[in-house]
Amino acid sequence: MLAADHALLDADPWFGAVPAERRALLLAQASIRSVAAGTRLYGVGDPPDGLWAVLDGQVRLIGYPAVGAELVVLMMGPGTWFGELSTLDAGPRPHDAIAFGAARVLHIGIEAFRRLAGATPELWWDIALLACAHQRASLAFMMNTLAQPIPVRLAWTLGGWCARRAGTASRCARRISLR
């Protein structure tokens, strides 16, 4: 793993808060791979296969709320961890995880995680905190987005898209206005 990868992962609010010795245990079990655009890392209904993190590129979690409908549940960029829900409860995957463009991803297999957590039970707490962070983000999204009038939701969506494209929200604020 590159030094830049370590720095990226350590900057993540969740992973950076995990004590250094436990971060090292997790990373020692990790494998890294490059994937092409459209690569399915896991799919709805798949058995749990462990934790994932994005090192480069983007991975999208996609759900299917109705026949023929597709919903992007979460877009994850570099430094973002995911896959904790099925790792915690051993249930099937609730979403597809698909590379959007070429990506480099880190993977800690479920058996390796369970072995580590058996020897270091605090890892269960760490992974629970990741699940809590994602739950809080989901609740905030619902409260701040879904409860707003459609023009406000559209502005937030366009603002986020613009910020990701431009690399800064301040340049986008001038481009979007509600009338």
Side-chain angles (χ1 to χ4, degrees):
M1 183 179 310
L2 305 171
D5 295 334
H6 280 280
L8 175 72
L9 294 173
D10 289 346
D12 175 70
W14 169 73
F15 194 69
V18 172
E21 63 276 2
R22 294 201 299 267
R23 286 194 315 253
L25 286 173
L26 289 169
L27 294 180
Q29 297 300 312
S31 62
I32 296 172
R33 67 180 183 171
S34 295
V35 297
T39 299
R40 184 174 163 260
L41 301 175
Y42 57 77
V44 173
D46 285 354
D49 64 349
L51 287 175
W52 294 83
V54 179
L55 297 174
D56 290 306
Q58 186 182 87
V59 172
R60 293 183 177 182
L61 295 184
I62 300 172
Y64 307 93
V67 175
E70 180 177 292
L71 176 68
V72 176
V73 177
L74 190 60
M75 295 183 288
M76 294 160 298
T80 308
W81 289 82
F82 61 101
E84 75 284 351
L85 182 63
S86 294
T87 300
L88 267 173
D89 72 1
R93 293 292 188 185
H95 309 99
D96 285 350
I98 299 175
F100 185 75
R104 276 180 60 241
V105 294
L106 175 145
H107 180 234
I108 301 168
I110 190 71
E111 293 306 322
F113 180 82
R114 288 179 179 158
R115 267 193 318 278
L116 288 175
T120 309
E122 296 85 0
L123 286 170
W124 290 114
W125 175 255
D126 296 332
I127 196 85
L129 290 177
L130 177 59
C132 289
H134 285 166
Q135 176 69 14
R136 287 183 185 281
S138 295
L139 291 171
F141 171 79
M142 286 187 286
M143 287 187 295
N144 294 326
T145 306
L146 299 178
Q148 298 295 327
I150 290 174
V152 173
R153 285 190 273 167
L154 180 59
W156 276 102
T157 300
L158 292 174
W161 173 81
C162 188
R164 285 187 298 278
R165 271 195 95 204
T168 175
S170 62
R171 284 187 262 173
C172 288
R174 292 188 300 270
R175 296 181 190 169
I176 298 171
S177 64
L178 292 176
R179 296 182 195 259

